[in-house]
Every structure is written in C-alpha cells, then in structure tokens.
Amino acid sequence: MKYLHTMIRVRDVDASLRFFCEGLGLKENRRMDNAAGKFTLIFLAAPETPDAEIELTHNWDSQEDYGSARNFGHLAFQVEDIYKTCAHLQSMGYTINRPPRDGHMAFVRSPDLISVELLQNGHLPPQEPWASMPNTGVW
C-alpha cells in the first residue's frame, strides 16, 4: 500500500492557492479540469515531499456548505522556522489561531477553515510577540 493524497474541498481556488502556495510554500504538481463533472482537481505538495499530496477539489457552481466540522482533523507541516512562517502568514492577513508560544507548534486555518498545524523542526526558544499571544478562535 502507498499513501497518495488527502482531498479537501475549496470554494475559491485563488484564495486557496494563495494560502497553500504563497503562504505555506507548497507547489502545484498537476491540475485537471473536468467540464462534464464541473470540477477542478489541483494537486499540491511540499518540495521536500512531492509524493505526499493535498488534492484541492473545486466543485464549480457549488453552493454546498462545507461547514467547519472538526471530524477531518488537520493537515500538518514541519517548518524550518515557525516564527518566520507564522509572521509571513500573518502578514498575508491570516490569523494564527494557536500561536507558537512554545517555539514548537502553531495552528492556522485555510480560507475554507481547514486546520493546519505547523511544527517546528526541533524547538526554538520562546519569542515575543508569540510567547504571550493568546489563542484566537478555534483550530
């Protein structure tokens, strides 16, 4: 058996690509538009793990409420500098829901409310403003 991908539904392709590609640094591996089925599939992966993909599924014209159920859980990515990554995402307008107070773990949500866990490769010493920043919302 081989792990292939995790699929998440997205409402706005551009907003999702901004978050996952510009914000997190994932790269688009391939894309498929299916006019008959009225959907687009976009496969993304981190450069270090190109075979572990996220499939963004965009159903054209869908008005379905994907909600914010927590039954999915979250995606997790290891980062080289959690403070730099969180500052970058914050500068792009994303809320860091669980700041990296411990220098090791943070949570942010995609435009479609998918929880994304960021894990520091190792530990960094606590650093302001993160060390005293409260949680915001849910993740």
Side-chain angles (χ1 to χ4, degrees):
M1 184 182 313
K2 177 182 176 184
Y3 171 81
L4 296 176
H5 63 265
T6 297
M7 183 274 271
I8 57 176
R9 297 186 193 285
V10 301
R11 289 179 184 82
D12 182 328
V13 170
D14 292 334
S16 296
L17 291 176
R18 181 175 184 264
F19 177 80
F20 286 106
C21 296
E22 291 179 42
L24 294 177
L26 301 185
K27 304 294 181 197
E28 184 173 326
N29 284 347
R30 64 190 182 286
R31 179 185 297 227
M32 182 186 83
D33 291 316
N34 185 313
K38 296 184 178 180
F39 65 85
T40 299
L41 305 179
I42 304 168
F43 292 86
L44 309 176
E48 294 83 3
T49 54
D51 292 333
E53 295 179 317
I54 297 172
E55 174 191 322
L56 304 182
T57 297
H58 177 248
N59 295 300
W60 310 348
D61 307 324
S62 175
Q63 300 304 313
E64 181 181 353
D65 178 12
Y66 298 145
S68 60
R70 293 177 54 84
N71 61 337
F72 169 74
H74 62 267
L75 301 171
F77 294 97
Q78 184 180 66
V79 297
E80 287 302 314
D81 186 328
I82 198 162
Y83 299 130
K84 183 177 178 182
T85 302
C86 287
H88 174 65
L89 288 165
Q90 197 174 49
S91 76
M92 293 178 70
Y94 300 110
T95 300
I96 306 303
N97 300 100
R98 195 282 190 191
R101 289 184 294 273
D102 57 2
H104 181 67
M105 179 183 70
F107 276 89
V108 63
R109 295 185 93 183
S110 79
D112 292 288
L113 305 178
I114 301 297
S115 289
V116 177
E117 180 180 21
L118 304 173
L119 293 168
Q120 172 63 40
N121 184 6
H123 276 83
L124 295 178
Q127 185 179 99
E128 293 297 342
W130 311 106
S132 59
M133 190 179 290
N135 292 340
T136 302
V138 296
W139 61 91

